[in-house]
Amino acid sequence: MDEVDKNYHFRFPENNLDNSSQLCDLDILSCLSLNPRKNINKLLRKFPNIRKLRSSLNLDQGCEYHVAMDCLSHLESLSLSCVVYGGDRYQLDFQFPLTIKKLTLSYFRLPWSKMAAIGNLPNLEVLKLLKQAFEGEIWEMEAEKFPSVRFLKLASLNIVKWTASSEYEYEDQYYFPRLQKLVLESCDALQEIPSCLGNSSTLEIIEMSKCPNSTSYSYSKFGKSK
């Protein structure tokens, strides 16, 4: 068994996970629904060799969650969305595997301060923050984070000011030092991108669309089109 998608349904025995079999040959798993109130770490250990996972987290209002996924030591691609019952106020912390190369988040409405858990991933190359993945008007980037990210996409976020910490504000080597492509889409309130990214020596393409408070344009080192 190499892949399981939405057309295949199975359920592990919640009260007897320790004695249930592992799916050691499973490589790709889509549409997995997880409830962090239960021991999802024990569940995820049933897929020890999985490389690609697409899942949703079911959260309850007013609860605190710590989602530890670092047991997936072969995971390279992770797409997570959030379903909240009873409102949208909750506390959530992630512990991602260091092996992740591609990460997509949507609907979590996390504060920008939670970006630290992502910025320290040493092998992350593709990062997509979509559809209210993060919430808040100001994202002040910390220096020396996202060491390997080459592609960054922000879409449908309510961010207004995207800044760099003042100590290294104009020094691009401290912020996304390997970034090659930046995509901004439907960020209605965004005013501008940090100057350190605009001056980056590695950045080749900036694509902006449906960002009415910024100039919508496509940029490359080889030309710019309004």
Side-chain angles (χ1 to χ4, degrees):
M1 181 185 297
D2 296 323
E3 181 176 357
V4 174
D5 61 17
K6 64 183 179 180
N7 298 314
Y8 188 94
H9 301 274
F10 63 91
R11 182 185 296 272
F12 280 95
E14 296 179 1
N15 299 323
N16 195 23
L17 272 177
D18 291 332
N19 295 324
S20 61
S21 300
Q22 287 187 321
L23 300 178
C24 295
D25 295 329
L26 187 62
D27 190 54
I28 301 173
L29 179 59
S30 300
C31 301
L32 178 67
S33 179
L34 295 172
N35 186 342
R37 290 177 299 172
K38 302 174 183 178
N39 194 336
I40 66 171
N41 186 269
K42 186 178 291 188
L43 174 61
L44 293 175
R45 289 181 184 276
K46 299 301 175 182
F47 322 118
N49 298 314
I50 197 168
R51 290 188 309 105
K52 185 175 181 180
L53 173 63
R54 182 160 58 91
S55 175
S56 63
L57 292 182
N58 301 316
L59 307 179
D60 289 322
Q61 182 182 19
C63 295
E64 295 185 9
Y65 301 97
H66 179 74
V67 180
M69 309 185 77
D70 53 322
C71 60
L72 299 176
S73 58
H74 297 278
L75 191 65
E76 296 181 0
S77 177
L78 175 63
S79 179
L80 286 176
S81 62
C82 178
V83 178
V84 183
Y85 298 98
D88 56 12
R89 294 185 179 181
Y90 55 88
Q91 296 292 324
L92 177 64
D93 289 300
F94 284 109
Q95 192 170 345
F96 294 114
L98 299 180
T99 52
I100 287 184
K101 294 182 179 180
K102 181 178 180 180
L103 177 63
T104 302
L105 299 177
S106 56
Y107 296 114
F108 282 96
R109 303 181 72 173
L110 295 169
W112 289 104
S113 59
K114 298 293 184 180
M115 284 292 285
I118 302 173
N120 291 324
L121 295 173
N123 298 300
L124 185 64
E125 297 179 358
V126 176
L127 175 59
K128 298 180 181 181
L129 306 178
L130 315 176
K131 300 176 182 177
Q132 299 177 318
F134 282 78
E135 190 171 62
E137 293 186 356
I138 301 175
W139 175 21
E140 183 177 313
M141 295 187 297
E142 296 182 46
E144 301 179 338
K145 301 289 185 181
F146 307 100
S148 302
V149 171
R150 301 177 187 275
F151 177 93
L152 174 63
K153 181 175 181 178
L154 308 181
S156 301
L157 306 177
N158 70 344
I159 184 172
V160 177
K161 295 182 179 180
W162 181 12
T163 64
S165 57
S166 57
E167 183 178 1
Y168 303 109
E169 184 176 359
Y170 301 102
E171 302 183 42
D172 61 276
Q173 69 268 29
Y174 292 101
Y175 304 96
F176 291 97
R178 296 186 179 181
L179 188 64
Q180 296 176 350
K181 184 174 181 178
L182 171 63
V183 177
L184 302 171
E185 180 182 306
S186 299
C187 294
D188 297 343
L190 182 64
Q191 296 176 354
E192 60 183 358
I193 66 172
S195 57
C196 59
L197 294 186
N199 297 327
S200 171
S201 59
T202 62
L203 188 60
E204 298 177 353
I205 299 174
I206 301 176
E207 293 181 0
M208 298 180 66
S209 63
K210 301 178 183 178
C211 298
N213 288 327
S214 302
T215 301
S216 294
Y217 69 105
S218 295
Y219 160 90
S220 75
K221 285 184 176 179
F222 309 103
K224 180 191 297 184
S225 60
K226 294 284 187 178

